[in-house]
Amino acid sequence: MSVWGRGTLNLSIFGESHGPGIGVVIDGLPAGEEIDVEELMAFCARRAPGRSSTATKRKEPDRPEFLSGLLDGRTTGAPLCAVIRNSDTHSGDYDNLRTTARPGHADYTAWLRFQGYNDVRGSGHFSGRLTAPLVVAGGIAKQILRRRGVEVGAHILSVHSIVDRAFDPVAVTAQTLRSVGEQTFPVLDKDAGERMIGAIEQAAAELNSLGGVVECCAVGFPAGVGTPMFDGLENSLSSILFGIPAVKGVEFGAGFDAAGLTGAENNDEFELQEGRVVTRTNHHGGILGGISSGMPITMRVAFKPTPSISRPQQTVNFQEGCACELVVKGRHDPCVVPRAVPCVEAAAAFALLSYLV
Amino acid sequence: MSVWGRGTLNLSIFGESHGPGIGVVIDGLPAGEEIDVEELMAFCARRAPGRSSTATKRKEPDRPEFLSGLLDGRTTGAPLCAVIRNSDTHSGDYDNLRTTARPGHADYTAWLRFQGYNDVRGSGHFSGRLTAPLVVAGGIAKQILRRRGVEVGAHILSVHSIVDRAFDPVAVTAQTLRSVGEQTFPVLDKDAGERMIGAIEQAAAELNSLGGVVECCAVGFPAGVGTPMFDGLENSLSSILFGIPAVKGVEFGAGFDAAGLTGAENNDEFELQEGRVVTRTNHHGGILGGISSGMPITMRVAFKPTPSISRPQQTVNFQEGCACELVVKGRHDPCVVPRAVPCVEAAAAFALLSYLV
Amino acid sequence: MSVWGRGTLNLSIFGESHGPGIGVVIDGLPAGEEIDVEELMAFCARRAPGRSSTATKRKEPDRPEFLSGLLDGRTTGAPLCAVIRNSDTHSGDYDNLRTTARPGHADYTAWLRFQGYNDVRGSGHFSGRLTAPLVVAGGIAKQILRRRGVEVGAHILSVHSIVDRAFDPVAVTAQTLRSVGEQTFPVLDKDAGERMIGAIEQAAAELNSLGGVVECCAVGFPAGVGTPMFDGLENSLSSILFGIPAVKGVEFGAGFDAAGLTGAENNDEFELQEGRVVTRTNHHGGILGGISSGMPITMRVAFKPTPSISRPQQTVNFQEGCACELVVKGRHDPCVVPRAVPCVEAAAAFALLSYLV
Amino acid sequence: MSVWGRGTLNLSIFGESHGPGIGVVIDGLPAGEEIDVEELMAFCARRAPGRSSTATKRKEPDRPEFLSGLLDGRTTGAPLCAVIRNSDTHSGDYDNLRTTARPGHADYTAWLRFQGYNDVRGSGHFSGRLTAPLVVAGGIAKQILRRRGVEVGAHILSVHSIVDRAFDPVAVTAQTLRSVGEQTFPVLDKDAGERMIGAIEQAAAELNSLGGVVECCAVGFPAGVGTPMFDGLENSLSSILFGIPAVKGVEFGAGFDAAGLTGAENNDEFELQEGRVVTRTNHHGGILGGISSGMPITMRVAFKPTPSISRPQQTVNFQEGCACELVVKGRHDPCVVPRAVPCVEAAAAFALLSYLV
């Protein structure tokens, strides 16, 4: 299902990469929320392809048309539908994928699941392009959250073995979260960013691709929100984040590193700051027992390297049941991580908003 | 919410650590499934405390009473309710936690969320004890899955810096998954296990605690099951796994390591084995595009060190709004990971079953 | 499924009539709500059997044990579980129902659905007894609603052809709703009630049974709550009301009678009363476009006559595939309507509460 | 919410009457289902306005564009999105409704619910026009159901006091269900239909409107499908049917009439016909205990008279808080029932399909 919801906030994403259009219906937005469409477009542009050497050459404006739910710049309370038309499609590139499994891609599993009826052009509904409507939904959520004092931001924490400086999990500010997102290549350490770009360009030149990690943070989220067990912040955030193609891991606070710590190291001692309960450190990532503590909510999301690489690879023709060699054609990002940054922000913002409406 | 469901399979977990009882209602089980209660008890015993030096001294039989849904050893198709009575409770140990936040624990966030009305004795509904009903549900799911050819198993992959051998992600067998679970301390490398036990005992002696990682695997799960985006296997597995207390990270296949690989390294080439489509490697963890590939489904779950340690810690009395020092009393596992192994199996099994009923 | 939920409020009902016990888990109740258990027991007693000549002779105290979610008389915010033990079971009465379909009952459909593994004793999970946990949940909801100014009440509108006076849909008061519920046989017109009792006794004497209608009303529910289309008040109320066994129809406001009116007759003109917008009539039953108008919410629920009658009936043995005659044994209400009144109140209250928490 | 789902089949309806467009996303359709678009258009045309003297004069082709989920005439398994553009809008007709409540309409409750931000033009999201996407979804469901042997049909059972012949609840055939739907004015008794048309024309001439009842039936639905309590056929059917504007009552089988019967009358005796278990009568409407019996599934849906009538009515200006007289302008059906017939079929078909995929 391409439906996600909790409480009374829902989204339903539709579309296939080379069909007439893609889009999203958001149900349950509060009425009367001002949506700055130009700001939203700027946010969507962060995900759009064709901006830099690190991304696919496919150029699409990704400008949504709002069919409903928005009137005179404000939400009406009715379901909001945004549609993005597809264009600049080179469907011929995908002819050999109808029956041949790209390693690392969903071609084979989709064929099984949908008995061969799925639209394979441009990977159909499995395309990374389907994150465009998610970014529309999340961009709207971000604007509403900001009005409630919550800022969500993200950056590239790593590409392959090159690591950016992490957010300060205790002191990160809304200003930092906003400014990092305004960069074409969102990193905190510009030098690391340069090296990442170099590595991606080199991988592209070698007909290879790279993975990486996005770090995301929310500040200003009220304390005491969430519930234990299955409706906690970590449950809902992870369930939406794994909806972004290529995500293979999600962690909060110290995450997997916490597994290597002792309790004395990992426990975040509480203290009072100007009458407010805070923790000195933030290994808990702002979430304890599924409930927000008032500290920054921090998460990291691991992306695998783009599976579509143009090297010859061994694979099978699953329809004919024979081995073959495949050279993937088409235009693909040598590293999805730069464009995944707003996707992670969007998914996180949408999940967080579901607790506040 | 302590409710989890997908499709038509649901569970609702209830109880507080020192209340009259805890339990689970499972709705949507198929009718006529034989449940071997003794085998289920053996599975539950793997989570039970009081078995070894690495666990809390609290002794409870954790034997559920089945109030409904089970007749003559078979499921009736009606909701199955299992209740476990609480006993051996030392509630006095928790008096000072009513208003004082244990670092790393949910005391403060629960107080905010429930305005101080939550049952704090033994951490109430936030207690690790609430995994007992989850294990009942998952143990039932495991038996039903096995009948459908699916075996779910798990082991301790690491405690602090001590690492067990990983499952072979391509060749792991149902037999391996079963036998590792029969051990008191479930590891593949007994020597590593000995060192883990030593480290846990040492941490306990130092009034400290350790984190670790559980690796879980399912073999025999049919290929072509799951859906893209938000109802994929990774989404549903992570949303239930983060329901286990102390989990801070979940990854599938190569997970965070995939972020450090190139596409050429990470892509799993397909081949035919006896007419069956398989992959030579399994960085994808048996899941591509949210859908099972037929390869073993592999995941790793990071647990933070037990927050309840008996060293003096700085914290606050959140009701009175003042700083204080806290020494946690009560009986706590110096490392939750050994007992978490069946919890991870249970959660994974339940989520996987939801796709097959 | 015996799970119902909307927003973040859920219930999960379990149990079979002659199993060890039945009960309910309520997830999502606000914390700190005082629950007057004696008042709740008095509400449950209204549904309990064995009180009058119009009900089955089976006597059960129906006193729930609260396993969780309630501490010192207040909700803790954790899932609340209430268990009612079964007793006074005469399972032998049901032996011939294992393979023989009682006309009007779910024996045959349950056998198909659960492949014969369902517990047939006392109708198992299909028993009217399963409304006892619903009444517990609804009784709790009623107390919480009352504290928010909402009163839910119901009465017997008709038994067979004997009709009680209806609630005044404009002027009905909380006081009326409370007082009608305190009667053993809840009607507004005592004379009609006497005749209903007479008719039920006569039907019982004739080994027959009677149907009837329950009218339910909520006053004080805030205006402007609900949503259009599928999450409106009518959708959620009907979806829970049809969960009560024997319900075959649900209508709101003028309901089916509205189909026979003209717009000029049915439209409720608005006016101002002390600055408050009200309607002069209430054919809309307090709901317009799925959203509450502030007027009393009114609904009527049709119950079919008890299918279990002790006359010889023609039916089939569905296992052996042959026709046979059946005489139903066991103790059955000659009319479920009197005991259904608190069930309807309970279901309505629970659904309404889901919009306010 | 304008989202409806059960199991893994979901729909999300969006749009406002005078916005750019309306539509639906259907998630969870099986892949490979042939959709005959012309047949679907013919079904949609049954709901379209402007066909007869009994409907609004607004003319819209209501031809959906399929943005996704459909390729070469078959479902792809990805979410199917259908968009219908709005045109022929006379928004000026609605200026006085921004703050004035039409009696019987949702203007006032919507204003409360959405704080005045809802799009009031043409009733916005509350417009009967929003049933067009529901009919698209249901028309697709009907085609898939037919391929599985299930036929869903409906007719006008009554308009005001004029009553059509009812379906034979035991012997109704797929052929009858299909042929009645092919009529411009779907009734079984043409003479009754003529009188209904006369009554509607007269009501229109008198600036009045009429209510009525739609009877719907499904044959061929497999026996043994559904579950007791809250996920039964009646629960899900009613929850979607009340999503059609103007519906005030839903009943199954004998429905409210069952309340006036005795058990001996209402019980449907079982018998064998060619080895198949059937009932001689069908007061149970094909549903026992929430589960299908294999007999025709029958339901009746009550529609109130169109609230928008052009007579002067007393009402209030809710923004200024003063009484006023209102004359509703715009084009409105004097009776929604004829156009509601395919809406009821659509809603029922979609709900029934959710049990079979």
Side-chain angles (χ1 to χ4, degrees):
Chain A
M1 292 195 290
S2 301
V3 169
W4 189 92
R6 74 163 294 289
T8 53
L9 188 64
N10 294 269
L11 61 76
S12 183
I13 286 178
F14 59 88
E16 282 133 329
S17 185
H18 290 212
I22 61 176
V24 63
V25 180
I26 314 172
D27 195 295
L29 287 176
E33 295 286 343
E34 245 185 290
I35 304 301
D36 182 327
V37 173
E38 289 319 306
E39 186 180 311
L40 178 60
M41 289 306 95
F43 181 62
C44 292
R46 291 174 49 198
R47 194 214 69 90
R51 292 201 312 163
S52 78
S53 61
T54 65
T56 162
K57 294 286 175 289
R58 178 172 173 175
K59 280 190 174 53
E60 301 210 333
D62 276 0
R63 187 169 187 98
E65 180 190 12
F66 294 96
L67 294 183
S68 64
L70 205 57
L71 186 67
D72 301 334
R74 285 181 188 268
T75 56
T76 63
L80 186 151
C81 178
V83 169
I84 303 169
R85 293 276 158 181
N86 288 326
S87 58
D88 190 23
T89 55
H90 293 203
S91 299
D93 290 345
Y94 296 89
D95 274 354
N96 62 345
L97 301 180
R98 199 167 293 275
T99 54
T100 309
R102 280 172 294 175
H105 222 293
D107 306 320
Y108 171 59
T109 57
W111 178 78
L112 285 173
R113 175 67 173 80
F114 300 115
Q115 303 107 52
Y117 292 108
N118 53 306
D119 184 354
V120 300
R121 299 169 301 160
S123 302
H125 191 60
F126 291 81
S127 169
R129 178 155 173 72
L130 268 292
T131 55
L134 176 64
V135 167
V136 172
I140 289 169
K142 273 170 64 92
Q143 292 190 22
I144 298 174
L145 284 171
R146 185 174 295 157
R147 211 168 289 132
R148 285 153 171 72
V150 184
E151 186 73 36
V152 178
H155 71 116
I156 305 171
L157 182 64
S158 71
V159 165
H160 198 248
S161 57
I162 306 162
V163 183
D164 188 24
R165 202 166 65 234
F167 287 134
D168 180 330
V170 170
V172 59
T173 63
Q175 177 51 35
T176 298
L177 296 177
R178 293 189 72 150
S179 64
V180 72
E182 287 161 10
Q183 300 175 35
T184 309
F185 197 86
V187 286
L188 297 175
D189 173 349
K190 291 199 176 179
D191 182 57
E194 294 295 329
R195 283 181 287 131
M196 289 174 183
I197 292 171
I200 295 170
E201 289 172 343
Q202 188 186 335
E206 295 170 354
L207 307 180
N208 209 342
S209 63
L210 299 178
V213 174
V214 172
E215 185 184 45
C216 181
C217 188
V219 298
F221 193 77
V225 174
T227 58
M229 301 214 81
F230 307 116
D231 190 40
L233 295 172
E234 287 140 327
N235 311 72
S236 57
L237 283 163
S238 68
S239 75
I240 195 167
L241 287 165
F242 276 111
I244 304 171
V247 171
K248 295 305 279 187
V250 172
E251 61 180 10
F252 298 90
F256 276 87
D257 283 351
L261 299 178
T262 68
E265 291 162 346
N266 185 64
N267 279 354
D268 301 308
E269 293 189 317
F270 288 95
E271 65 181 17
L272 288 161
Q273 274 184 4
E274 300 169 19
R276 219 176 122 245
V277 173
V278 297
T279 59
R280 289 171 184 174
T281 49
N282 187 13
H283 298 102
H284 70 290
I287 308 171
L288 288 167
I291 302 169
S292 58
S293 69
M295 294 299 290
I297 294 172
T298 66
M299 67 206 84
R300 277 175 300 283
V301 183
F303 286 83
K304 68 180 181 186
T306 319
S308 292
I309 55 175
S310 298
R311 295 182 180 197
Q313 295 179 92
Q314 297 309 307
T315 186
V316 298
N317 179 315
F318 40 76
Q319 193 150 51
E320 302 186 8
C322 60
C324 61
E325 192 182 82
L326 174 73
V327 175
V328 178
K329 292 178 284 184
R331 301 155 298 174
H332 302 283
D333 288 9
C335 180
V336 299
V337 179
R339 292 175 58 201
V341 171
C343 302
V344 169
E345 286 180 41
F350 197 83
L352 290 174
L353 181 62
S354 76
Y355 291 91
L356 301 186
V357 295
Chain B
M1 293 195 290
S2 300
V3 169
W4 187 93
R6 77 162 292 290
T8 53
L9 188 65
N10 294 269
L11 62 74
S12 183
I13 287 178
F14 59 87
E16 283 134 329
S17 184
H18 289 211
I22 62 178
V24 63
V25 181
I26 314 173
D27 195 295
L29 287 175
E33 295 286 341
E34 245 187 290
I35 304 301
D36 182 328
V37 173
E38 288 322 304
E39 185 180 311
L40 179 60
M41 290 306 96
F43 181 62
C44 292
R46 291 175 48 197
R47 195 215 67 91
R51 292 202 311 163
S52 79
S53 61
T54 66
T56 162
K57 295 286 177 289
R58 179 172 173 175
K59 281 189 173 55
E60 303 210 332
D62 276 1
R63 188 170 186 98
E65 179 189 14
F66 295 95
L67 294 182
S68 64
L70 205 58
L71 185 67
D72 301 333
R74 286 182 187 267
T75 56
T76 63
L80 187 151
C81 177
V83 169
I84 303 169
R85 293 277 159 179
N86 289 325
S87 58
D88 189 24
T89 55
H90 293 203
S91 299
D93 290 345
Y94 296 89
D95 274 354
N96 62 345
L97 301 181
R98 198 168 293 278
T99 55
T100 309
R102 279 172 295 175
H105 223 293
D107 305 321
Y108 170 60
T109 56
W111 178 78
L112 284 172
R113 176 66 173 81
F114 300 115
Q115 304 108 50
Y117 291 107
N118 54 305
D119 184 353
V120 301
R121 300 168 302 159
S123 302
H125 190 61
F126 292 81
S127 170
R129 179 157 173 70
L130 267 293
T131 56
L134 176 64
V135 167
V136 172
I140 289 169
K142 271 170 66 90
Q143 293 190 22
I144 297 173
L145 284 172
R146 185 173 295 158
R147 211 168 291 132
R148 286 155 171 70
V150 184
E151 186 72 37
V152 179
H155 70 116
I156 304 172
L157 182 65
S158 72
V159 165
H160 199 246
S161 56
I162 306 162
V163 182
D164 189 23
R165 202 167 65 235
F167 287 133
D168 180 328
V170 170
V172 59
T173 63
Q175 177 51 35
T176 299
L177 296 177
R178 292 189 73 149
S179 64
V180 72
E182 286 162 11
Q183 301 174 36
T184 309
F185 197 86
V187 286
L188 297 174
D189 173 349
K190 290 200 175 175
D191 183 57
E194 294 295 326
R195 284 180 286 129
M196 289 175 183
I197 293 171
I200 295 171
E201 288 173 344
Q202 188 185 335
E206 293 170 356
L207 308 180
N208 210 341
S209 64
L210 299 178
V213 174
V214 172
E215 185 184 43
C216 180
C217 188
V219 298
F221 193 78
V225 175
T227 58
M229 300 214 82
F230 307 116
D231 191 38
L233 294 172
E234 287 141 327
N235 310 73
S236 58
L237 282 163
S238 68
S239 75
I240 195 167
L241 287 165
F242 276 112
I244 304 172
V247 171
K248 296 305 278 186
V250 172
E251 61 180 10
F252 298 90
F256 277 87
D257 282 351
L261 299 178
T262 68
E265 292 162 343
N266 185 65
N267 279 356
D268 301 308
E269 292 189 317
F270 287 95
E271 64 180 18
L272 288 162
Q273 276 185 3
E274 300 168 19
R276 220 177 120 243
V277 175
V278 298
T279 58
R280 291 173 182 170
T281 49
N282 188 11
H283 298 103
H284 70 290
I287 308 170
L288 288 167
I291 302 170
S292 57
S293 69
M295 295 299 291
I297 294 172
T298 66
M299 67 205 86
R300 279 174 299 284
V301 183
F303 286 83
K304 68 181 182 184
T306 319
S308 292
I309 55 175
S310 298
R311 295 182 179 196
Q313 296 178 92
Q314 298 307 307
T315 187
V316 299
N317 179 315
F318 39 75
Q319 191 150 54
E320 301 186 7
C322 60
C324 60
E325 192 180 84
L326 174 73
V327 175
V328 178
K329 291 179 285 184
R331 300 155 300 174
H332 303 283
D333 287 9
C335 180
V336 299
V337 179
R339 292 174 59 201
V341 171
C343 302
V344 168
E345 285 180 41
F350 197 84
L352 291 175
L353 181 61
S354 75
Y355 290 90
L356 302 185
V357 295
Chain C
M1 293 195 289
S2 300
V3 170
W4 188 92
R6 74 162 294 288
T8 53
L9 188 64
N10 295 268
L11 60 75
S12 184
I13 287 178
F14 59 88
E16 283 133 330
S17 184
H18 290 212
I22 62 177
V24 63
V25 180
I26 315 171
D27 195 296
L29 287 176
E33 295 285 342
E34 246 186 290
I35 304 301
D36 182 328
V37 174
E38 289 320 306
E39 185 181 312
L40 178 60
M41 290 306 96
F43 181 63
C44 293
R46 291 175 49 198
R47 193 214 69 90
R51 293 201 313 164
S52 79
S53 60
T54 65
T56 162
K57 295 287 176 287
R58 179 172 173 175
K59 280 188 173 55
E60 301 210 334
D62 276 0
R63 188 169 187 98
E65 180 190 12
F66 294 97
L67 294 183
S68 65
L70 205 58
L71 186 67
D72 302 334
R74 286 182 187 267
T75 56
T76 63
L80 186 151
C81 178
V83 170
I84 303 169
R85 293 277 159 179
N86 289 326
S87 58
D88 190 23
T89 56
H90 293 204
S91 300
D93 290 345
Y94 297 88
D95 274 355
N96 62 346
L97 302 180
R98 199 168 293 277
T99 55
T100 310
R102 281 172 294 176
H105 223 293
D107 305 321
Y108 170 60
T109 57
W111 177 78
L112 285 173
R113 175 67 174 80
F114 300 115
Q115 303 107 51
Y117 292 107
N118 54 305
D119 185 355
V120 301
R121 300 169 301 160
S123 303
H125 190 60
F126 291 81
S127 169
R129 178 154 174 73
L130 267 293
T131 55
L134 176 65
V135 167
V136 172
I140 289 170
K142 273 171 63 90
Q143 293 191 22
I144 297 174
L145 284 172
R146 185 173 294 158
R147 210 168 290 131
R148 286 154 170 72
V150 184
E151 187 72 36
V152 179
H155 71 116
I156 304 171
L157 182 65
S158 72
V159 166
H160 199 246
S161 57
I162 306 163
V163 182
D164 189 22
R165 202 167 64 233
F167 287 134
D168 179 329
V170 170
V172 59
T173 64
Q175 177 51 34
T176 298
L177 296 177
R178 294 190 69 151
S179 64
V180 73
E182 287 161 10
Q183 301 175 36
T184 309
F185 197 85
V187 285
L188 296 174
D189 172 349
K190 291 199 177 178
D191 182 57
E194 294 296 328
R195 284 181 287 130
M196 289 175 183
I197 292 171
I200 295 171
E201 288 172 345
Q202 187 186 336
E206 295 170 354
L207 307 181
N208 211 341
S209 64
L210 300 178
V213 174
V214 172
E215 184 183 44
C216 180
C217 188
V219 298
F221 193 77
V225 174
T227 58
M229 301 214 82
F230 307 115
D231 191 39
L233 294 173
E234 287 141 327
N235 310 72
S236 57
L237 283 163
S238 67
S239 75
I240 195 167
L241 287 166
F242 276 111
I244 304 172
V247 171
K248 295 306 279 188
V250 172
E251 60 179 11
F252 299 90
F256 277 86
D257 283 350
L261 298 178
T262 68
E265 291 162 345
N266 185 63
N267 279 355
D268 300 307
E269 292 190 318
F270 288 95
E271 65 181 17
L272 288 162
Q273 275 185 3
E274 300 168 19
R276 217 175 123 246
V277 174
V278 298
T279 58
R280 290 172 183 173
T281 49
N282 187 13
H283 298 102
H284 70 290
I287 308 171
L288 289 167
I291 303 170
S292 58
S293 69
M295 295 300 290
I297 295 171
T298 66
M299 68 205 84
R300 277 174 301 283
V301 183
F303 287 82
K304 68 180 180 185
T306 319
S308 292
I309 55 175
S310 299
R311 296 182 178 196
Q313 296 179 91
Q314 297 309 306
T315 186
V316 299
N317 179 315
F318 40 77
Q319 193 150 52
E320 301 187 7
C322 60
C324 61
E325 191 180 84
L326 175 73
V327 175
V328 178
K329 291 179 282 182
R331 301 155 299 176
H332 302 283
D333 288 9
C335 179
V336 299
V337 179
R339 291 174 59 201
V341 172
C343 302
V344 169
E345 285 180 41
F350 197 83
L352 291 174
L353 181 62
S354 75
Y355 290 90
L356 301 185
V357 295
Chain D
M1 292 197 290
S2 301
V3 170
W4 188 92
R6 77 162 291 291
T8 53
L9 188 66
N10 295 269
L11 61 76
S12 183
I13 287 179
F14 60 87
E16 283 133 329
S17 185
H18 290 211
I22 61 177
V24 64
V25 181
I26 314 172
D27 195 295
L29 287 176
E33 295 286 343
E34 246 186 290
I35 304 301
D36 182 327
V37 173
E38 289 321 305
E39 185 181 311
L40 179 60
M41 289 307 95
F43 181 63
C44 292
R46 291 175 49 196
R47 194 215 68 90
R51 293 201 311 164
S52 79
S53 60
T54 65
T56 162
K57 295 285 177 287
R58 179 172 173 175
K59 280 189 174 52
E60 302 210 334
D62 277 0
R63 188 170 187 97
E65 180 189 13
F66 295 96
L67 295 183
S68 64
L70 205 57
L71 185 66
D72 301 333
R74 286 182 187 267
T75 56
T76 63
L80 187 152
C81 179
V83 169
I84 303 169
R85 293 277 158 180
N86 289 325
S87 59
D88 190 24
T89 57
H90 292 203
S91 298
D93 290 344
Y94 296 88
D95 274 355
N96 62 344
L97 302 179
R98 199 168 293 277
T99 55
T100 310
R102 280 172 295 175
H105 222 293
D107 305 320
Y108 170 60
T109 57
W111 178 77
L112 285 173
R113 175 67 174 80
F114 300 116
Q115 303 107 51
Y117 291 107
N118 54 305
D119 185 354
V120 300
R121 299 168 303 159
S123 302
H125 190 61
F126 291 81
S127 169
R129 179 155 172 72
L130 268 292
T131 55
L134 176 63
V135 166
V136 172
I140 289 169
K142 271 170 65 89
Q143 292 191 21
I144 298 174
L145 284 172
R146 185 174 295 159
R147 211 167 290 131
R148 285 154 171 71
V150 183
E151 187 73 37
V152 179
H155 71 116
I156 305 172
L157 182 64
S158 71
V159 165
H160 198 247
S161 57
I162 306 163
V163 181
D164 188 23
R165 202 168 64 235
F167 287 133
D168 180 328
V170 171
V172 59
T173 64
Q175 177 51 34
T176 299
L177 296 177
R178 292 189 72 150
S179 64
V180 72
E182 285 161 12
Q183 302 174 36
T184 310
F185 197 86
V187 286
L188 297 175
D189 173 349
K190 290 198 176 177
D191 183 56
E194 294 296 327
R195 285 180 286 129
M196 289 175 183
I197 292 171
I200 295 171
E201 287 172 346
Q202 188 186 336
E206 294 170 356
L207 307 180
N208 210 343
S209 64
L210 299 178
V213 174
V214 173
E215 184 184 44
C216 181
C217 187
V219 298
F221 193 77
V225 174
T227 57
M229 301 213 82
F230 307 116
D231 190 39
L233 294 172
E234 287 140 327
N235 311 72
S236 57
L237 283 164
S238 68
S239 75
I240 195 167
L241 287 165
F242 276 113
I244 304 172
V247 171
K248 296 305 279 186
V250 172
E251 61 180 8
F252 298 90
F256 277 87
D257 282 350
L261 299 178
T262 68
E265 292 162 344
N266 185 65
N267 280 355
D268 300 308
E269 291 190 317
F270 289 95
E271 65 180 18
L272 288 162
Q273 276 185 2
E274 301 169 19
R276 219 175 121 244
V277 175
V278 298
T279 59
R280 291 173 182 173
T281 49
N282 187 12
H283 298 102
H284 70 291
I287 308 170
L288 288 167
I291 302 169
S292 57
S293 69
M295 294 299 291
I297 295 172
T298 65
M299 67 205 86
R300 279 174 299 283
V301 183
F303 286 84
K304 67 179 182 186
T306 319
S308 293
I309 54 175
S310 299
R311 295 181 179 196
Q313 296 178 91
Q314 298 307 307
T315 187
V316 298
N317 179 316
F318 40 76
Q319 192 150 52
E320 300 186 8
C322 59
C324 61
E325 192 180 83
L326 174 72
V327 175
V328 177
K329 291 179 284 185
R331 301 155 298 174
H332 302 283
D333 288 7
C335 179
V336 299
V337 179
R339 293 175 57 202
V341 171
C343 302
V344 168
E345 285 180 42
F350 197 83
L352 290 174
L353 181 61
S354 76
Y355 290 90
L356 300 187
V357 296

